Amino acid sequence: MSEKSEIYETVTKEIFAVIDGEPSATARYASAACLLSGAFDAYFWTGFYVVDPVKPAELVVGPYQGTLGCLRIPFGRGVCGACAATGETQIVEDVHKFPGHIACDSRSNSEIVVPVTDTDGNLAAVLDVDSTEFGSFDEVDAKYLEIICAKLLVGASQA
Ligand code: SME
């Protein structure tokens, strides 16, 4: 198993141990962002954009670790918006080549964005991880982040 996979195995267990029994989705997002951010040097910005319940085709920033992120992203705009619009993980080796990429911090060079679904299977948020290096993310990141995001809200009963 690669070193990256081993770190993911450990941090995935930590996240689920910490959020076990916690009803607040916000507390779950914040704990996952904190633990993932601390696990990898490549994680420069790590956090969640949640579906705005008032404007359902718009994401609003949620718990994150990193420099100031933009507050709102319409579905379809940038990498996060592409993930929200398609419901599919986005792996971007060079964000500067991604049409409509939103440059919250010019130091970000690659990113991965993974959908978070609620227990009914509806999109609740996206997990956005940005790196200062090019090509930081691959199928290993996608595999583990999708496992985390698929179960992050199981047991959550409040915003
Ligand atoms: N890079 C994202 C915007 C969010 S920030 O980087 C924190 C995008 O294009 O979706």
Side-chain angles (χ1 to χ4, degrees), residues 30-115:
S31 303
C34 177
L35 289 170
L36 286 168
S37 175
F40 294 100
D41 292 339
Y43 281 29
F44 167 68
W45 196 97
T46 311
F48 294 86
Y49 281 90
V50 299
V51 177
D52 188 328
V54 182
K55 289 184 177 176
E58 196 162 285
L59 300 165
V60 60
V61 77
Y64 67 91
Q65 302 268 319
T67 56
L68 183 68
C70 56
L71 300 193
R72 287 180 176 274
I73 301 174
F75 278 30
R77 174 110 194 275
V79 189
C80 292
C83 177
T86 61
E88 287 175 7
T89 296
Q90 308 287 313
I91 297 173
V92 182
E93 291 190 4
D94 180 351
V95 295
H96 310 290
K97 292 183 181 157
F98 191 93
H101 170 250
I102 304 160
C104 294
D105 189 311
S106 59
R107 288 171 288 179
S108 176
N109 284 321
S110 63
E111 86 181 80
I112 183 168
V113 184
V114 178

